[in-house]
Amino acid sequence: MSHAAEGASVHTASSPNTMVNFGFWVYLMSDVIIFSMLFTMFVTVQSHYNGGPQGHQIFELRDVFLETMALLFSSITFGLAMLNLHAEKKNGVLLWLAITFLFGATFVGLEVREFLNLVHHGAGPDTSAFLSAFFTLVGTHGTHVTFGLIWIAVMFGQVAVKGISPKVGSRLFRLSLFWHFLDIVWIVVFSTVYLAGVVQ
Amino acid sequence: MSHGNIDSDHQARLGGLNLTTYVTGFVLALILTAIPFGAVMFGWFSPATTLIVIAVMAVIQILVHLFCFLHLDFSEDNRWNTASGAFTLLILVILVGGTIWLFASLMPRTMLMGG
């Protein structure tokens, strides 16, 4: 597994089977464990309302749907950035990275607004075990997306300044793994927390 | 991990990376998101059926994302990614399943019901 030789092309550097990419994959797997424990915690205490509001009373599914769409659109726009990377079109990469950033920022903005609304209406994390677990789980995902946005901004700068080099391409590949991974975690969040929470 | 020739090596690397794969994944993800949201917001099914629909759609959509966006398959190139993923899944089932099972049986016996 040593494709990352000196002077490798963009294609080789962003190939899935380099050691550094595998290392990042193992990090993602450890993140899967973290999220799965937060999901477990949420499921075990989700009916402990402590006299506070229940899921169906506080969740706005319309906003959750908008958040879901924002992340899904950001996934395909990141895919288009990767296609432009492989075609070695620098401006295309910059354009689609910027659009991905806007969709990601929309997601975080909607989530922050939701959190502020909940706290304002007396449904903060200190209200009940259910809400503590909710804020911890959804907040951890939102924090990941926020760090993803910082990473996208950094990579935008690197592509703009350094151009499309094998190293930059390799970093973009790992960022794409991170970004698509967060969308997968969100699928479990909207299914387990929001949709199932409103049905019950 | 050796590869036959330059051409097949190149193909393997760019295998999953094309516009058709991304668009297919995107459209499938849209449908697989719309169905559970519609089921909950418009009350298409009974609550029990709705929960099953949500779970099934989520699992299918995760697979769609893995194949179409993360380009993970069971090829030689992805062997170690798949192996570490399978190990993670095993740990996940033991931790998550075990914990939920434990608490589910603990609550009724200790009267720690939600209040």
Side-chain angles (χ1 to χ4, degrees):
Chain A
M1 275 211 238
S2 56
H3 274 295
E6 282 297 316
S9 74
V10 170
H11 303 299
T12 312
S14 57
S15 156
N17 63 359
T18 57
M19 192 54 93
V20 69
N21 287 341
F22 178 66
F24 191 73
W25 178 261
V26 172
Y27 153 70
L28 288 182
M29 292 301 101
S30 72
D31 237 10
V32 169
I33 301 292
I34 289 178
F35 276 112
S36 62
M37 289 324 292
L38 292 177
F39 276 111
T40 305
M41 182 180 75
F42 177 82
V43 170
T44 52
V45 301
Q46 65 177 342
S47 57
H48 295 226
Y49 303 113
N50 191 33
Q54 305 186 9
H56 66 90
Q57 295 167 321
I58 53 172
F59 293 151
E60 298 282 352
L61 284 189
R62 204 181 58 92
D63 288 351
V64 180
F65 186 74
L66 288 179
E67 289 176 60
T68 307
M69 286 300 110
L71 265 199
L72 185 55
F73 273 88
S74 81
S75 263
I76 188 155
T77 56
F78 205 113
L80 293 170
M82 292 307 285
L83 289 176
N84 276 281
L85 172 72
H86 281 263
E88 307 202 13
K89 290 177 184 161
K90 179 182 163 182
N91 287 336
V93 176
L94 290 175
L95 172 71
W96 290 111
L97 274 185
I99 295 174
T100 306
F101 184 94
L102 289 180
F103 277 122
T106 306
F107 172 86
V108 174
L110 284 168
E111 186 159 278
V112 168
R113 195 184 68 167
E114 182 198 18
F115 280 9
L116 290 177
N117 264 335
L118 287 176
V119 173
H120 183 70
H121 288 99
D126 55 343
T127 310
S128 62
F130 156 66
L131 282 165
S132 301
F134 166 82
F135 276 93
T136 309
L137 171 58
V138 182
T140 302
H141 176 267
T143 309
H144 275 75
V145 177
T146 307
F147 276 96
L149 285 175
I150 296 171
W151 194 359
I152 289 175
V154 170
M155 289 316 298
F156 184 93
Q158 288 199 6
V159 173
V161 175
K162 298 182 180 182
I164 298 174
S165 69
K167 272 192 171 172
V168 171
S170 172
R171 289 166 191 157
L172 272 174
F173 175 76
R174 286 187 293 283
L175 175 54
S176 80
L177 288 183
F178 186 67
W179 197 253
H180 293 311
F181 164 76
L182 289 180
D183 201 1
I184 291 181
V185 175
W186 180 252
I187 296 170
V188 189
V189 171
F190 80 68
S191 300
T192 313
V193 178
Y194 292 102
L195 293 181
V198 169
V199 170
Q200 280 166 355
Chain B
M1 275 194 194
S2 66
H3 298 283
N5 54 53
I6 306 286
D7 274 351
S8 72
D9 194 24
H10 187 72
Q11 282 298 323
R13 273 189 251 113
L14 295 177
L17 209 79
N18 60 62
L19 188 60
T20 317
T21 316
Y22 278 117
V23 173
T24 308
F26 178 72
V27 172
L28 284 175
L30 270 184
I31 297 168
L32 292 165
T33 302
I35 293 173
F37 269 94
V40 173
M41 291 170 93
F42 305 115
W44 292 339
F45 314 110
S46 70
T49 314
T50 308
L51 287 177
I52 294 169
V53 168
I54 293 170
V56 171
M57 293 300 139
V59 171
I60 298 175
Q61 189 173 179
I62 289 170
L63 293 175
V64 167
H65 279 241
L66 283 176
F67 283 99
C68 295
F69 293 156
L70 282 159
H71 314 298
L72 189 70
D73 53 37
F74 299 103
S75 66
E76 182 87 0
D77 272 6
N78 278 322
R79 174 173 291 177
W80 284 103
N81 293 36
T82 314
S84 57
F87 181 65
T88 307
L89 193 66
L90 174 72
I91 295 182
L92 196 149
V93 168
I94 294 171
L95 283 177
V96 176
T99 308
I100 292 175
W101 184 16
L102 189 154
F103 272 90
S105 74
L106 188 68
M107 276 176 214
R109 288 188 283 113
T110 52
M111 307 293 279
L112 278 169
M113 302 300 281

